[in-house]
Amino acid sequence: MDSRALPDSFIRHSPLPALQWRLVNRLFSWARPAALRFAIFFLLTTAALGASAADVLDWDARNGRVRADITGWNLEQLLERVTAHTGWEIFLEPGTEHTVSTRFDDFTTGDALRSLLGPLNFAVVPQSEGPARLYVFQTSRSRATQRVEAPSPEEPLPEKSGIISNELVIAVKPGTNVEELARRLGAKITGRIDELGIYRLAFEDEASARSAMDALRDDPDVRSVEFNLVVPTPPAAQPAAFGAAPPFSLKPKVVGDSDRVIVGLVDTAVQSLGPPWDDFLLDSLSVVEGGLTEPDRLLHGTSMFETLLRSVEISSSGGESTPVRILSVNVFGDGGHSTTFDIARGIHMALEGGATLINLSLGASGSSSVLQTLIADSHAQGAMFFGAAGNTPGTTPTIPASFPEVIAVTAGDPQGNIRSYANSGDFVDVAAPDLAIVHLAGRSYYIRGTSVSTANVSGLAAALTASSGLPPGEIEAELRRLLQVKRPE
């Protein structure tokens, strides 16, 4: 096999027809630079992967646009998801059955319902108060009396971004006696990054925290003070109708410590996937307790780990071996969310562990001068940062992606258009494929979002760093050129 051709495993196990794969492989073999290889592969396969990832329903209720790729859903399974997306009250005629198998992109709400419901009748009825009602029936609307409820989540929904009202994060000047400072304020030190002079303080209540904030703003030893912010756990992967995992041909190149390219994966914990995957995983770190209490439940960090490595495989010259390694830093634990302090501590631990690229497939709304200063200082020393723009349509800045030193990654289609569900703010730097098929314990899952896009870009950046010898600034410029965002004029 040509050393520049795609790995056999991608051809044998891909959903692409053989003829399309021959075209992809020919183009791929012509493209020598790693960045161009990455672009060709994903531009030609993202749509096909999206088409093969069964059980996908993207419903943009705000703009009335729907995308679906569904095979074999029963009617109640469909309607449960429709009410979860739209908030509608849905009523079904008892005994009504229908198997949903359809695929479409960017339909209006009406056209989407016609395609999804096939031969069935339906009516969407606005209400003077409360949500609209959808009636689905065979004979008459009056017989649609069976209420369809949204499915109960298997786990509590993550908290929204927001302040932790009784916690402050402070940065102090060298030599400051933090213990004395905390005692004077009536606070408890619950987290510390001594090397950076950053501390997490807990107070009895919000009033005490706000009073302390006012006092600290005038303290000459305090460089900054802010509320600690909640960072929600990113959405988990969903089961997919796929078979065994395609083979993974990349091998770790044996190099000295100084020649390794280390990507810090600041996320949930990463589960063991066995060889050869674990050969790329350095000894994991954690800033919180727990995180691996459910070994059979695929964690977000594990999904990003596999996505990132597959991106490295595609982008690496020859796809045979690489000096790239992944350093997992768990910042979520079992609590369902992280905080800006824990993210800062996780980044610091990754950098101290030798990482020069930091993947941040996470985000929150708000601001954090402590986190931004840490990233800015580290970027000035040569570290590269990649942050998820967020899976909410609109332009509201997401941190840390919106910091100038972070490559902000949104979800894009093969033409570079931003997906309807993804953030399209001016801070966005690049768009990348947003779908991954990942595996754990013989089961397949699909995951979609700007988290996936970010891991894909981090993998490309790591491969470029390993093969090109270019400095970080030039690699960032190449990424911005290659993965340009296509914005409406």
Side-chain angles (χ1 to χ4, degrees):
M1 184 182 72
D2 188 319
S3 64
R4 295 190 306 277
L6 285 167
D8 285 341
S9 62
F10 282 96
I11 299 175
R12 289 196 301 270
H13 296 267
S14 169
L16 278 171
L19 181 62
Q20 288 179 270
W21 263 114
R22 285 196 290 271
L23 173 62
V24 172
N25 214 352
R26 174 171 293 186
L27 289 170
F28 194 81
S29 66
W30 290 343
R32 293 175 182 269
L36 185 56
R37 291 157 57 85
F38 173 92
I40 289 175
F41 177 81
F42 278 116
L43 286 175
L44 293 178
T45 60
T46 296
L49 280 171
S52 70
D55 305 342
V56 173
L57 180 63
D58 289 335
W59 198 298
D60 183 356
R62 178 184 299 179
N63 297 309
R65 312 301 297 187
V66 186
R67 174 183 179 277
D69 190 344
I70 298 169
T71 303
W73 281 10
N74 62 48
L75 183 58
E76 288 194 31
Q77 185 179 8
L78 168 70
L79 296 180
E80 286 176 349
R81 284 156 178 77
V82 173
T83 188
H85 279 285
T86 63
W88 293 340
E89 295 179 345
I90 299 182
F91 297 87
L92 174 67
E93 181 178 352
T96 304
E97 296 182 357
H98 173 55
T99 299
V100 184
S101 293
T102 186
R103 178 189 175 196
F104 56 82
D105 188 41
D106 200 34
F107 272 18
T108 64
T109 298
D111 288 340
L113 288 171
R114 279 185 280 273
S115 180
L116 291 165
L117 297 175
L120 301 179
N121 301 308
F122 69 90
V124 179
V125 181
Q127 303 296 303
S128 58
E129 294 183 4
R133 291 180 176 178
L134 169 64
Y135 297 88
V136 180
F137 52 94
Q138 290 178 300
T139 57
S140 68
R141 194 181 89 182
S142 63
R143 294 191 177 185
T145 57
Q146 177 183 334
R147 178 74 177 266
V148 178
E149 301 287 350
S152 299
E154 295 181 358
E155 58 184 355
L157 295 175
E159 295 185 43
K160 294 182 179 180
S161 304
I163 66 170
I164 302 175
S165 60
N166 69 326
E167 290 191 3
L168 299 179
V169 178
I170 64 171
V172 301
K173 295 179 180 178
T176 300
N177 187 331
V178 181
E179 283 73 16
E180 171 60 25
L181 180 64
R183 186 196 61 76
R184 177 160 44 88
L185 295 170
K188 181 179 179 181
I189 301 174
T190 57
R192 54 200 308 148
I193 312 174
D194 289 318
E195 301 90 336
L196 303 179
I198 298 173
Y199 299 89
R200 179 179 186 173
L201 304 181
F203 295 83
E204 183 177 349
D205 52 30
E206 181 176 356
S208 300
R210 290 192 179 277
S211 176
M213 175 178 280
D214 292 338
L216 290 169
R217 283 174 175 158
D218 297 326
D219 193 316
D221 291 328
V222 176
R223 293 184 287 123
S224 67
V225 56
E226 63 195 37
F227 278 106
N228 200 12
L229 298 183
V230 171
V231 179
T233 304
Q238 301 298 316
F242 288 83
F248 178 67
S249 62
L250 192 65
K251 297 179 177 61
K253 181 182 291 184
V254 179
V255 295
D257 290 350
S258 61
D259 294 322
R260 294 185 301 186
V261 176
I262 300 176
V263 182
L265 180 58
V266 179
D267 209 293
T268 73
V270 171
Q271 296 142 294
S272 171
L273 297 177
W277 300 93
D278 291 356
D279 296 335
F280 294 89
L281 189 61
L282 302 178
D283 291 341
S284 297
L285 304 174
S286 183
V287 304
V288 292
E289 295 182 359
L292 286 174
T293 56
E294 299 178 68
D296 294 331
R297 176 175 170 270
L298 183 66
L299 297 176
H300 187 267
T302 308
S303 301
M304 296 304 101
F305 171 66
E306 182 173 342
T307 301
L308 203 158
L309 276 182
R310 287 201 182 275
S311 177
V312 173
E313 180 180 29
I314 293 302
S315 306
S316 296
S317 179
E320 295 177 352
S321 64
T322 179
V324 175
R325 302 292 187 272
I326 311 299
L327 176 59
S328 165
V329 184
N330 175 20
V331 296
F332 284 98
D334 298 325
H337 65 264
S338 186
T339 69
T340 45
F341 175 84
D342 286 336
I343 302 299
R345 190 175 172 207
I347 290 172
H348 177 64
M349 291 176 70
L351 294 169
E352 289 292 293
T356 55
L357 300 91
I358 304 294
N359 186 90
L360 298 163
S361 290
L362 48 80
S365 59
S367 62
S368 172
S369 62
V370 164
L371 188 56
Q372 184 169 4
T373 299
L374 169 60
I375 289 176
D377 291 346
S378 304
H379 184 265
Q381 297 299 315
M384 287 184 280
F385 294 85
F386 305 91
N391 299 333
T392 301
T395 60
T396 302
T398 300
I399 63 169
S402 60
F403 298 155
E405 298 81 12
V406 179
I407 298 288
V409 187
T410 197
D413 66 14
Q415 290 74 45
N417 300 300
I418 298 175
R419 298 286 192 188
S420 62
Y421 70 83
N423 197 315
S424 58
D426 290 341
F427 68 93
V428 169
D429 296 300
V430 300
D434 60 337
L435 175 70
I437 308 303
V438 293
H439 307 83
L440 179 70
R443 296 190 62 190
S444 297
Y445 301 80
Y446 73 87
I447 184 167
R448 164 167 265 139
T450 59
S451 286
V452 173
S453 305
T454 304
N456 277 324
V457 175
S458 294
L460 170 58
L464 284 172
T465 300
S467 64
S468 69
L470 293 173
E474 291 187 30
I475 289 176
E476 291 176 348
E478 177 69 2
L479 294 174
R480 288 185 170 95
R481 182 192 66 80
L482 178 71
L483 304 174
Q484 291 181 31
V485 178
K486 187 175 180 181
R487 299 182 184 276
E489 297 182 359

